[in-house]
């Protein structure tokens, strides 16, 4: 994370003055708010979609279409078919890998 001082201290016109000032409660609040904003964006990026298509599951597990079909047929991996598209719950994939 690389934040510009202007982001943390928007009220300071001359950034050189920061070298000779004490940290105030407002400064701490600015830093905390910037960190929280950054953490929220990181958390959103790390969280995969709740439902994945077959191609996404194959990439995730590094398996072939036939292997994925076998997982469906023998009941190892639950799925939902909507129209012609098969969806897999991310939580089910995690559970399958843990067991």
């Amino acid at each position: 994370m690389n934040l510009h001082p202007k982001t943390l201290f928007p009220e300071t016109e001359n950034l050189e003055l920061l070298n000779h000032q004490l940290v105030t409660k407002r400064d701490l609040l600015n830093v905390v708010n910037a960190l929280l904003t950054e953490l929220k964006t990181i958390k959103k990026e790390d969280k995969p979609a709740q439902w994945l298509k077959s191609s996404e599951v194959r990439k995730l597990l590094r398996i072939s279409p036939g292997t994925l079909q076998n997982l469906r047929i023998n009941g190892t991996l639950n799925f939902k078919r909507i129209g012609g598209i098969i969806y897999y719950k991310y939580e089910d994939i995690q559970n399958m890998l843990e067991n």
Side-chain angles (χ1 to χ4, degrees), residues 7-26:
T7 306
L8 300 175
F9 311 107
E11 69 279 351
T12 305
E13 292 297 322
N14 185 358
L15 295 178
E16 276 299 312
L17 293 176
L18 293 177
N19 294 333
H20 309 290
Q21 292 182 346
L22 296 176
V23 176
T24 65
K25 289 182 181 180
R26 180 187 303 253

Side-chain angles (χ1 to χ4, degrees), residues 35-82:
L35 285 172
L36 287 174
T37 302
E38 186 73 18
L39 287 173
K40 286 177 185 175
T41 58
I42 290 171
K43 187 173 183 175
K44 287 179 185 175
E45 293 169 359
D46 290 346
K47 186 177 179 182
Q50 184 178 359
W51 290 94
L52 303 172
K53 293 181 181 179
S54 293
S55 60
E56 295 168 322
V57 174
R58 289 196 322 266
K59 272 188 205 173
L60 182 67
L61 299 178
R62 296 182 183 151
I63 58 175
S64 68
T67 302
L68 185 56
Q69 183 178 3
N70 286 335
L71 292 174
R72 283 195 311 265
I73 291 170
N74 65 24
T76 305
L77 189 55
N78 296 327
F79 65 95
K80 299 283 181 202
R81 184 184 306 266
I82 301 174

